[in-house]
């Protein structure tokens, strides 16, 4: 597999905010989002066994498989090996690809882009705000819904997005707020 990086930190977003987690960032993506804040194209080739060995050295058994787009490389075998080691598997996906056959994933966080959704289920829908197509997102079946203010890199604009996100949630209470707490806390 093409692994961009493996690191240990706190989950900074969504339902599992604050949870110690091993992050397995896979290389590559099928979209080119202009707001993407992740450098995920460099990689080291690793076997699934080497990945499991590397992530098992950390004291947590919560793994977040992300990218890029993790469903481009995720396999049933990797999921089986991780579960055998006691891992809770969370993926962060754009949802444009189906979960590969046999992949037993415990939690799917989906942040849709402008592509058709093909993921089989969505546990947590995470949408960046402001967004012009909120009706589309409100029609998606998901266990939980989160709006996350778009971080533009400009403090004034980002603060305006935070206020607009809060206002939207107060008017549409099917949504909950998700902040990028890892950025707020300056944690990786």
């Amino acid at each position: 597999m093409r692994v961009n990086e493996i690191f240990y930190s706190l989950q900074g977003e969504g339902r599992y905010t604050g949870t110690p987690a091993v992050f397995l960032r896979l290389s590559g993506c099928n979209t080119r989002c202009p707001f993407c804040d992740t450098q995920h194209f460099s990689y080291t080739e690793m076997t699934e066994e080497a990945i499991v060995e590397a992530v098992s050295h950390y004291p947590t058994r919560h793994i977040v498989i992300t990218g890029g787009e993790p469903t481009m490389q995720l396999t049933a075998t990797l999921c089986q090996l991780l579960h055998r080691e006691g891992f809770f598997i969370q993926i962060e996906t754009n949802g444009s690809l189906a979960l590969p056959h046999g992949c037993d994933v415990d939690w799917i966080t989906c942040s849709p882009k402008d592509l058709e959704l093909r993921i089989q289920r969505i546990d947590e829908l995470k949408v960046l705000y402001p967004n012009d197509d909120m009706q589309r997102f409100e029609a998606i079946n998901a266990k939980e819904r989160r709006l996350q203010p778009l971080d533009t890199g400009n403090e004034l604009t980002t603060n305006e997005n935070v206020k607009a996100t809060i206002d939207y949630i107060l008017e549409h209470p099917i949504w909950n707020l998700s902040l990028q707490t890892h950025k707020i806390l300056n944690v990786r």
Side-chain angles (χ1 to χ4, degrees), residues 49-65:
E49 294 78 10
I51 291 169
V52 173
E53 182 179 338
V55 301
S56 293
H57 288 290
Y58 296 101
T60 188
R61 286 299 177 256
H62 187 113
I63 187 166
V64 179
I65 303 175

Side-chain angles (χ1 to χ4, degrees), residues 38-51:
T38 305
Q39 298 297 323
H40 54 78
F41 288 102
S42 64
Y43 62 89
T44 301
E45 286 284 347
M46 293 180 74
T47 65
E48 293 171 342
E49 294 78 10
I51 291 169

Side-chain angles (χ1 to χ4, degrees), residues 29-89:
C29 190
N30 60 338
T31 62
R32 301 253 186 214
C33 301
F35 50 80
C36 184
D37 60 359
T38 305
Q39 298 297 323
H40 54 78
F41 288 102
S42 64
Y43 62 89
T44 301
E45 286 284 347
M46 293 180 74
T47 65
E48 293 171 342
E49 294 78 10
I51 291 169
V52 173
E53 182 179 338
V55 301
S56 293
H57 288 290
Y58 296 101
T60 188
R61 286 299 177 256
H62 187 113
I63 187 166
V64 179
I65 303 175
T66 187
E69 176 49 48
T71 58
M72 291 172 61
Q73 295 189 67
L74 192 63
T75 67
T77 308
L78 179 61
C79 292
Q80 291 166 0
L81 291 170
L82 289 167
H83 277 138
R84 195 173 301 146
E85 292 298 316
F87 279 94
F88 176 91
I89 303 171

